[in-house]
Amino acid sequence: EDQVTQSPEALRLQEGESSSLNCSYTVSGLRGLFWYRQDPGKGPEFLFTLYSAGEEKEKERLKATLTKKESFLHITAPKPEDSATYLCAAHSGGAQKLVFGQGTRLTINP
Amino acid sequence: NAGVTQTPKFQVLKTGQSMTLQCAQDMNHNSMYWYRQDPGMGLRLIYYSASEGTTDKGEVPNGYNVSRLNKREFSLRLESAAPSQTSVYFCASSGQARTEPQHFGDGTRLSIL
């Protein structure tokens, strides 16, 4: 069964304290790994797509990486405005659908 | 840049009532999707439409129907609402390739009493 698991469920950091969010996946025939940001009361906002192991993408303080079993979202020197829930999703080639993880709720304290 | 627009934003229904959630996108995307998001469950696919004129069931289709009205619009209908359908509903759209990212609306918050 296709599955995506994110950890931790929640993470609280001080402003400037770097860390990483984890996304473990088991899907048949990965066609793409997606990261989204979701603010309270809003829909998910697309951040990155990764297609193959070893690939990296960066945007401001965020960097996403991909291995054959996991993806990491590294956040460097975060600011309070980076507080949000971060979702990862794997596109299963076998099932032709997007499988979402449950998200990591990130809080950055000033 | 409107992107994906969903209406209404909030709705309260009584058990057994029916309603239709509306979704429209202005990005000329072929594919459209309906998800529900529940605490601790993540986003689950209800129905999707790969192109105008086609619809397919997702992971949790029971109790729902959809209509792809045209390329822009994709509606979700609850024929007889049940408390278990209390959720936040998101519509999304994506381009031709199935591995293109999906772009989401801001959701409809639905409560069934």
Side-chain angles (χ1 to χ4, degrees):
Chain A
E1 181 184 349
D2 296 332
Q3 192 168 0
V4 175
T5 303
Q6 292 187 245
S7 61
E9 287 186 15
L11 181 63
R12 189 177 294 269
L13 301 172
Q14 291 299 120
E15 184 172 1
E17 181 183 3
S18 302
S19 188
S20 297
L21 312 182
N22 176 265
C23 171
S24 297
Y25 63 91
T26 52
V27 298
S28 55
L30 181 73
R31 298 289 175 87
L33 191 292
F34 300 83
W35 281 97
Y36 288 85
R37 169 190 171 127
Q38 186 174 23
D39 292 301
K42 298 290 187 180
E45 176 188 351
F46 170 70
L47 292 173
F48 305 109
T49 310
L50 302 165
Y51 291 106
S52 57
E55 189 175 0
E56 298 182 353
K57 294 268 181 78
E58 286 190 64
K59 180 180 180 180
E60 296 181 355
R61 294 175 293 282
L62 299 176
K63 183 170 79 172
T65 62
L66 182 65
T67 73
K68 290 186 177 180
K69 295 183 178 180
E70 297 175 302
S71 179
F72 293 93
L73 185 65
H74 308 279
I75 181 161
T76 303
K79 298 181 178 181
E81 53 261 42
D82 294 321
S83 297
T85 295
Y86 289 86
L87 305 174
C88 80
H91 190 280
S92 166
Q96 295 290 324
K97 67 176 184 179
L98 208 55
V99 180
F100 279 87
Q102 295 180 356
T104 293
R105 187 172 66 254
L106 179 65
T107 304
I108 309 299
N109 294 318
Chain B
N1 289 341
V4 178
T5 303
Q6 293 184 236
T7 56
K9 295 187 185 305
F10 303 93
Q11 185 71 47
V12 178
L13 294 177
K14 294 181 179 179
T15 298
Q17 287 186 317
S18 62
M19 81 160 294
T20 300
L21 281 62
Q22 307 287 352
C23 174
Q25 52 91 9
D26 62 2
M27 295 175 282
N28 200 36
H29 284 163
N30 288 312
S31 301
M32 297 185 73
Y33 311 83
W34 276 105
Y35 290 90
R36 60 179 289 173
Q37 187 175 41
D38 302 292
M41 299 291 290
L43 281 157
R44 292 182 291 169
L45 183 65
I46 304 171
Y47 270 94
Y48 67 100
S49 171
S51 61
E52 187 178 352
T54 68
T55 61
D56 287 287
K57 294 178 180 180
E59 183 183 355
V60 287
N62 292 344
Y64 305 96
N65 286 300
V66 291
S67 295
R68 184 73 182 267
L69 304 171
N70 48 55
K71 189 172 185 178
R72 290 186 63 248
E73 298 173 287
F74 189 37
S75 63
L76 178 71
R77 182 162 178 84
L78 286 71
E79 291 291 352
S80 179
S84 61
Q85 295 178 305
T86 293
S87 188
V88 182
Y89 291 86
F90 288 100
C91 177
S93 69
S94 67
Q96 183 68 40
R98 285 179 175 166
T99 54
E100 289 189 34
Q102 295 179 16
H103 297 272
F104 287 80
D106 280 339
T108 294
R109 282 141 190 84
L110 183 61
S111 293
I112 316 296
L113 305 177

